[in-house]
Structure formats: structure tokens, C-alpha cells
Amino acid sequence: MSAPTLLRLRGLSKFFAEVPVVDRVDLDVVQGEIVMVVGPSGAGKSTLLRCINRIEIPSEGEVLLDGVNMAGETRNGKLVADPPRAAARKRRRIGMVFQRFNLFAHLTALDNVAIGPHRVLGAKLSDARALAAEQLARVRLSDHVMKRPAQLSGGQQQRVAIARAMAMRPVLMLFDEPTSALDPELVGEVLEVIRSLAVEGMTMIVVTHEMQFAREVGTRVLFMDGGRVLVDAPPGEFFASEHTRAREFLRRVHAAPAT
């Protein structure tokens, strides 16, 4: 039996000053898939993620999570926008990890992870901290739970951010260039955590410039340019793609000097 469709995008578009940054994207993501999104700067990759979890409100189209419209409910044939609390409940089911870590500087790693379950989900502080300790162990930070962000490396801070997102029990994880702000020697530890989540069966959409990681971990690769998905294929097919723009992109990526 095939896995159920978890996420469905239909005609998703986002315009800024009448310019389509995301342009009529249709996408189905089944449970357990790891979708890697690649493409040049300005292709619309990050905006696509931000439209999925409604940090950005789409200009057109639908985002359905488990068959539920993220924008609201249909009543008498018309879409009625969700009130803020209902919208927030829907968004909790999607975790997101950004390029920057966005941790609370005055809180320990433990309390950075516990604050969501405590403040948002209403868990007792002791229970939220126990959950936070579990999630920090999951990203191999058990020895650093009482450290504040300034005492952690960039890679460790990003792993705290991943633990914080996972503590909210999401059904879908979005990663927006999670290694782009890291020194090269710290990239591997973050990618290894994402790799472990893939092994556990977490459904993920990952915007990345790490091509080898996309090839090894992704179940699908989307290539975006000009706001549109130009290629949607398994990694083996994508990296052997005859699509002119995709081949040009890969050639440039592979020719770029290491930094």
C-alpha cells in the first residue's frame, strides 16, 4: 500500500509588486518523503517554504496538509479565513528551521526547546523540560543542555533549533538552507541530524545548496528557477538531467570554488 499524501500544493503563487516569486507550483508530498529543493539564488525556494507554513500569505492557490486547507474552511462554497488561534493550531503541525538559529540568548538550550511545549502547547514546565531533554539527546546535545547560545558553536545552535522544532511534534519539517550560516567544518554535524530524521521517517522539505547531501538523502529533487518547478525527479534522474537550465545550474555549482 502506498503512503498517503501529506502535503498538497495546487497553483501556489506569491507575488511581490506584481512579480511572481513563486509561480503556479503544484506539488504532492507523501508521508515519509524527503524532498530536496535546489536552484539558483532568487529562484523562489525560501518563499515556497514560507508560503507552505504561512509566514508568507500566498497570493493564489492552496496548501493542504492532511487534506486540511491551511488558509481556512470552506463554507457555502466560499473560503473563510481562519481566526488567529485556529491558524496557529494548523501551523504547529509544521516545523521550520531557518538559516539563522533565532534562539533566545538569555535562555539555556534546555529552555529554548522547552518554551514552545510549555507556552504554546500548555505542558507543565517540568514535562516540557523533560521533553526538551529528550529532543536535545536526539540531536546529541545532552552534555550542553544548560549552556546558553553564546556558549555553543553555530552547528550546536542549529541543532538546538532543530530540537526546538521537533519538540512541537510536527508532521512535516521544513529546512531553509540550514547550513548556509555555518563554517564549513560544522556543516556535517547538522546534515547528520537531518539524515537521522530521514531514517526515522520524518517527512521533510529541505532547501539546500549541498548537492551531495541532496543526492544521498533526498527521495526527490525539485529544481526551481524563476519561481517555477522546472524539474521534479528522483536524485539519480535529476543529476543526470538533460534539462538545459538544470544542467547549467549543476555545471556552475560543481565549478564553484570551495569557500
Side-chain angles (χ1 to χ4, degrees), residues 74-87:
T74 301
R75 300 175 189 166
N76 300 320
K78 293 184 178 180
L79 182 67
V80 179
D82 287 321
R85 285 190 178 183

Side-chain angles (χ1 to χ4, degrees), residues 159-231:
R159 283 189 278 156
V160 173
I162 294 171
R164 177 181 59 187
M166 292 298 298
M168 298 297 286
R169 305 297 195 197
V171 298
L172 172 67
M173 283 288 291
L174 308 178
F175 292 86
D176 186 8
E177 298 269 15
T179 62
S180 66
L182 301 179
D183 292 334
E185 65 267 24
L186 303 178
V187 167
E189 64 189 61
V190 173
L191 295 183
E192 191 56 38
V193 169
I194 300 174
R195 192 187 302 267
S196 69
L197 294 179
V199 171
E200 292 172 17
M202 173 58 67
T203 309
M204 296 184 282
I205 303 177
V206 184
V207 172
T208 184
H209 60 272
E210 302 287 344
M211 293 299 110
Q212 188 61 32
F213 180 70
R215 184 195 294 267
E216 293 174 358
V217 178
T219 57
R220 289 162 69 189
V221 178
L222 305 186
F223 172 68
M224 290 187 69
D225 193 22
R228 307 200 72 181
V229 175
L230 301 184
V231 181

Side-chain angles (χ1 to χ4, degrees), residues 92-139:
R92 286 175 206 159
R93 303 189 71 214
I94 302 176
M96 187 157 180
V97 176
F98 300 88
Q99 297 177 25
R100 297 291 174 178
F101 323 123
N102 299 322
L103 301 178
F104 292 106
H106 65 291
L107 296 181
T108 63
L110 187 73
D111 282 338
N112 262 286
V113 177
I115 192 169
H118 177 53
R119 295 275 184 88
V120 178
L121 302 183
K124 292 192 301 183
L125 183 58
S126 58
D127 292 339
R129 284 176 168 162
L131 173 61
E134 291 176 12
Q135 295 301 327
L136 287 166
R138 193 176 183 183
V139 298

Side-chain angles (χ1 to χ4, degrees), residues 4-18:
T5 298
L6 179 65
L7 179 72
R8 177 166 289 153
L9 311 183
R10 288 295 178 268
L12 191 68
S13 297
K14 179 65 180 180
F15 299 91
F16 291 111
E18 301 185 359

